[in-house]
Amino acid sequence: ELKVEQNPLFLSMQEGKNYTIYCNYSTTSDRLYWYRQDPGKSLESLFVLLSNGAVKQEGRLMASLDTKARLSTLHITAAVHDLSATYFCAVDVVWGSQGNLIFGKGTKLSVKP
Amino acid sequence: GAVVSQHPSWVICKSGTSVKIECRSLDFQATTMFWYRQFPKQSLMLMATSNEGSKATYEQGVEKDKFLINHASLTLSTLTVTSAHPEDSSFYICSARRGTSGYNEQFFGPGTRLTVL
């Protein structure tokens, strides 16, 4: 059974601090996505990681993918309150012309002043 | 580009009635669309995969007679919750994949919040 495990599930940070969210998965895949979800809203795409060693940065967020270790990280630098949200990683499992996203449970981030 | 819309954004209905939710890809053709369900403070759960012109593939535990999916065109998929009950209250999110490759990214709609009284 494919599993996608995120940790931590809850994260309370002080503004200005750094932290990393981890996403481990149990099957071979070289495509991983990070999404942000605000309360009552749908998913907002943050990063698309398409190969081993991929690293992408946008503002205070940086995501990386290690397909050999089956691990992706989302690093937060100098957190600000606006980053408070729930963050999901999702692994793309593809076979032939079909494919599904398998989501982690999400990490609820709360950034406090 | 790659915008997906859903309608309605929220709906309140009485127990026993049926509710239809539409998912449209506005600026691309979507051979495959997906329907997810999300309970409060939980992750997204895939309900079914919908391919244009063919029957939907439902995930284990999802009642196909209760959640009717129709993907009649390359830009529209509908989910009908039949004989809705309070336990069907949830946030329903659709996504659409552009093109025919399983490697293509999914684009998510804004979601529909269903409340069954």
Side-chain angles (χ1 to χ4, degrees):
Chain A
E1 180 189 352
L2 172 61
K3 292 183 179 179
V4 179
E5 296 183 347
Q6 278 182 248
N7 71 85
L9 298 182
F10 298 94
L11 178 55
S12 182
M13 296 177 64
Q14 293 284 335
E15 278 192 330
K17 298 293 186 182
N18 304 333
Y19 207 84
T20 301
I21 299 171
Y22 297 89
C23 176
N24 290 89
Y25 54 97
S26 63
T27 193
T28 301
S29 176
D30 57 2
R31 303 174 71 85
L32 188 138
Y33 303 84
W34 283 96
Y35 298 94
R36 168 180 172 147
Q37 186 177 38
D38 291 295
K41 304 290 186 182
S42 187
L43 301 183
E44 174 190 350
S45 178
L46 294 176
F47 298 108
V48 180
L49 303 170
L50 301 179
S51 62
N52 185 39
V55 177
K56 291 195 174 179
Q57 182 164 5
E58 181 71 35
R60 301 175 187 273
L61 300 178
M62 182 172 71
S64 66
L65 178 61
D66 181 343
T67 59
K68 293 181 181 178
R70 298 180 182 175
L71 170 68
S72 180
T73 61
L74 180 65
H75 186 73
I76 303 157
T77 301
V80 293
H81 179 70
D82 286 351
L83 290 179
S84 297
T86 299
Y87 293 85
F88 291 95
C89 65
V91 174
D92 209 348
V93 180
V94 178
W95 60 97
S97 62
Q98 304 297 315
N100 283 345
L101 287 178
I102 310 297
F103 283 85
K105 290 186 176 181
T107 297
K108 184 173 182 179
L109 172 64
S110 176
V111 181
K112 302 183 185 303
Chain B
V3 178
V4 177
S5 70
Q6 277 183 248
H7 178 80
S9 55
W10 59 270
V11 56
I12 301 173
C13 68
K14 293 182 178 180
S15 187
T17 61
S18 295
V19 174
K20 180 185 283 188
I21 303 170
E22 291 186 350
C23 177
R24 293 182 185 273
S25 57
L26 298 185
D27 51 2
F28 66 99
Q29 292 185 331
T31 307
T32 305
M33 289 184 170
F34 303 84
W35 287 95
Y36 296 86
R37 183 174 182 176
Q38 186 180 33
F39 290 108
K41 300 182 180 181
Q42 294 189 22
S43 188
L44 276 71
M45 182 194 80
L46 179 65
M47 299 175 65
T49 302
S50 166
N51 289 296
E52 186 264 339
S54 62
K55 291 183 178 180
T57 302
Y58 291 81
E59 295 300 302
Q60 191 172 7
V62 177
E63 299 176 60
K64 60 180 67 176
D65 294 332
K66 181 165 188 62
F67 298 100
L68 301 179
I69 292 172
N70 186 355
H71 192 162
S73 78
L74 287 173
T75 59
L76 173 64
S77 177
T78 59
L79 168 67
T80 301
V81 183
T82 62
S83 187
H85 290 283
E87 57 266 30
D88 298 324
S89 298
S90 188
F91 192 44
Y92 292 87
I93 304 175
C94 74
S95 71
R97 190 166 65 208
R98 182 167 48 190
T100 58
S101 170
Y103 287 98
N104 290 346
E105 184 179 357
Q106 292 183 31
F107 298 94
F108 287 84
T112 297
R113 187 162 303 282
L114 170 64
T115 303
V116 185
L117 302 177

